[in-house]
Structure formats: structure tokens, C-alpha cells
């Protein structure tokens, strides 16, 4: 049976508001998270991801009230990330209405956190977010791509491929792979990097960073071998409609769940 590819809308949240930037900087306001989540779900997005993008950098927990308010609007799977450092932090996010948690910096700092959350809530509930930047030198900048943490501010000293494999071995259910080089550019996903990670592991890979057109989605789902593609700004600002996007992707022979 052919698995349906997913289209995921991402809400990058700062101080309770959805924001969007280019390559993790030049942040602008995009609206209220609960309102945008409801709008995207009604339009046919398969899942919603809410990332509290400054929680880790500011040394605080995720904004629980924002999560609760957004969860009440949704009837599709809901993932929350940002500021989750412990099993108790994850439990609080699930209690607030999330179906999955996304962890990044804390998992790199203490990989055992993946095992702990997966053991308690199931592997399907654990997404490892990987902020990746291609290496500036070397024979293979894709294979040598590096992991960044703290909202893309700090290099982690780890290779993306190695980290994805370890996350899988520890029980992660999915990898959310964001190309920092492509983020916010609307010039297309990093298909080469996404394909390399997808080939290296068995768990699903969600591609993120660079979405601008329906062709970009189709390319990363086909050439990039991604199981899902995530975008933010093109949905928030009305550049792309999820329903139309899925219809265009389906024309390329990619199996997607078409909204009624």
C-alpha cells in the first residue's frame, strides 16, 4: 500500500504571536496562532506544528496557554516544540493538548531524553527537530552538513546524518529536518540534503525550509524522498492555498489526502 504524503503547516511562535523570518532572522509578525491553526486545518493541512522559537534561547519553558488555546481549535494532529528539556516538560505539553512533541537542543545535549519520552508516550509522539546547515568546505557539503541548536544560533558539533541515525536508534518517531540555508527563501527545499537523510534512516522525514511553490513540494516529496513537507510563511500570508497545493501535487502522481 502506498503511504499518503503529508502537508504540514508550521507556526513559529514568539511571545504568543506567529512570526516568520528568513534564514532564522528578520522576523515579522504573521498573526494569532490559534486563529491561523484553525484556518490551516480547515483548508486541508494534514498536521499543525507549533514551535516556540525563542524558548530555548531565553531559557524558559513553552508557552502552555498558547498551546492550550491552539489545541482547542484543532481536529488534526498537533505537534509542539521549543523549550522542552525534560520528561515533565513533555508531559505538560501533552496535557495541554498536543499529540506529539518536537525536541531539538535538549535532545542534542542529553540524547537519553529521546528514550525517556518515547518510553512513556510512544515513539510516534517524539519528533526530533534538526536544524541543518551545509558545511562550508569539503568534498561533500551535504554529507558534512552540521546540526545547529538554540534556534539556529549555535553549532552543535555534530553531523546531521550521524545525529539522525542516533535519534532513530533511541526511538524517535520522525525527523523534522530544516535547511537553515533555504529557510524562508521560498526558493525550494534542499532536496539533496533531505534525500541523504531519508536514505540513511527508516523513520519518516519531514522536510522544512524553502517552500515557495507547489513544484517545490512535489520536488522534495519525490526527489528529496521526504514523507512530509512543512511550510509556514506561504500559508500564513496567503501565497499558497493548501487545497490548491494538494491538487497540484496530486497531478504529479504523489498520493495526498485531498480535502473535501
Amino acid at each position: 500500500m502506498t503511504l499518503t504524503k503529508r502537508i504540514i503547516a508550521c507556526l513559529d511562535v514568539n511571545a504568543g504571536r506567529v512570526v516568520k523570518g528568513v534564514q532564522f532572522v528578520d522576523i515579522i509578525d504573521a498573526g494569532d496562532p490559534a486563529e491561523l491553526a484553525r484556518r490551516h486545518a480547515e483548508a486541508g493541512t494534514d498536521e499543525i506544528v507549533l514551535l516556540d522559537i525563542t524558548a530555548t534561547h531565553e531559557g524558559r519553558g513553552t508557552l502552555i496557554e498558547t498551546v492550550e488555546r491552539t489545541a482547542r481549535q484543532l481536529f488534526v494532529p498537533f505537534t509542539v516544540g521549543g523549550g522542552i528539556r525534560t520528561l515533565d516538560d513533555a508531559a505538560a505539553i501533552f496535557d495541554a493538548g498536543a499529540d506529539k512533541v518536537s525536541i531539538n537542543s535538549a535532545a542534542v545535549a542529553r540524547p537519553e531524553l529521546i528514550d525517556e519520552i518515547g518510553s512513556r508516550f510512544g515513539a510516534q509522539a517524539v519528533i526530533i527537530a534538526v536544524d541543518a546547515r551545509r558545511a562550508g568546505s569539503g568534498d561533500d557539503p551535504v554529507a558534512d552538513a552540521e546540526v545547529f541548536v538554540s534556534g539556529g544560533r549555535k553549532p552543535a558539533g555534530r553531523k546531521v546524518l550521524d545525529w539522525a541515525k542516533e535519534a532513530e536508534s533511541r526511538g524517535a518517531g520522525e525527523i523534522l529536518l530544516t535547511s537553515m540555508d533555504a529557510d524562508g527563501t521560498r526558493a525550494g527545499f534542499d532536496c539533496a540534503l533531505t534525500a541523504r537523510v531519508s536514505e540513511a534512516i527508516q523513520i519518516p522525514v519531514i522536510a522544512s525550509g524553502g517552500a515557495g511553490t507547489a513544484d517545490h513540494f512535489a520536488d522534495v516529496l519525490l526527489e528529496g524522498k521526504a514523507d512530509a513537507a512543512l511550510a509556514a510563511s506561504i500559508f500564513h500570508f496567503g501565497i499558497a492555498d493548501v487545497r490548491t497545493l494538494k491538487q497540484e501535487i496530486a497531478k504529479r502522481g504523489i498520493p495526498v489526502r485531498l480535502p473535501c
Side-chain angles (χ1 to χ4, degrees):
M1 184 179 70
T2 302
L3 292 177
T4 301
K5 302 287 188 177
R6 292 168 289 151
I7 303 300
I8 300 173
C10 182
L11 310 174
D12 291 328
V13 173
N14 180 21
R17 296 286 292 178
V18 177
V19 296
K20 190 54 192 162
V22 177
Q23 295 178 329
F24 286 44
V25 295
D26 299 330
I27 302 297
I28 58 175
D29 186 275
D32 176 72
E35 178 185 337
L36 286 170
R38 177 184 52 78
R39 186 192 310 168
H40 296 329
E42 290 176 348
T45 190
D46 296 298
E47 299 184 23
I48 298 290
V49 173
L50 184 153
L51 300 177
D52 189 340
I53 61 172
T54 57
T56 296
H57 177 63
E58 295 173 358
R60 59 172 173 79
T62 311
L63 298 173
I64 295 294
E65 184 273 337
T66 300
V67 174
E68 291 175 337
R69 198 161 54 84
T70 305
R72 286 196 291 268
Q73 299 293 323
L74 293 177
F75 52 87
V76 298
F78 181 35
T79 297
V80 174
I84 299 170
R85 301 177 185 83
T86 67
L87 182 60
D88 287 343
D89 290 341
I93 296 300
F94 287 121
D95 288 343
D99 301 291
K100 308 176 188 178
V101 294
S102 171
I103 51 176
N104 183 345
S105 303
V108 173
R110 195 172 70 85
E112 295 81 7
L113 182 60
I114 303 171
D115 306 72
E116 293 167 4
I117 298 175
S119 296
R120 172 78 66 87
F121 298 101
Q124 81 289 340
V126 185
I127 295 179
I128 299 304
V130 180
D131 293 335
R133 175 166 279 164
R134 289 191 182 208
S137 59
D139 296 331
D140 192 342
V142 175
D144 292 335
E146 299 173 305
V147 176
F148 279 68
V149 294
S150 297
R153 293 172 177 83
K154 299 178 182 178
R158 302 208 58 169
K159 298 288 181 65
V160 170
L161 291 177
D162 293 339
W163 176 228
K165 291 174 184 176
E166 180 176 346
E168 178 182 41
S169 72
R170 288 185 174 275
E174 297 181 85
I175 297 293
L176 170 54
L177 178 67
T178 298
S179 166
M180 294 179 62
D181 302 297
D183 179 71
T185 64
R186 300 178 193 162
F189 294 91
D190 189 333
C191 292
L193 176 62
T194 306
R196 195 72 66 92
V197 175
S198 297
E199 290 166 350
I201 58 178
Q202 300 300 312
I203 58 177
V205 173
I206 303 167
S208 170
T213 68
D215 281 342
H216 292 158
F217 281 87
D219 288 344
V220 81
L221 294 171
L222 291 171
E223 298 166 25
K225 303 180 182 180
D227 298 274
L230 174 148
S233 57
I234 68 165
F235 295 142
H236 304 334
F237 299 116
I239 298 168
D241 173 79
V242 179
R243 183 175 284 100
T244 304
L245 174 65
K246 285 189 168 184
Q247 290 170 345
E248 291 299 317
I249 292 173
K251 291 178 182 176
R252 294 273 297 266
I254 300 170
V256 293
R257 180 185 63 84
L258 293 172
C260 300

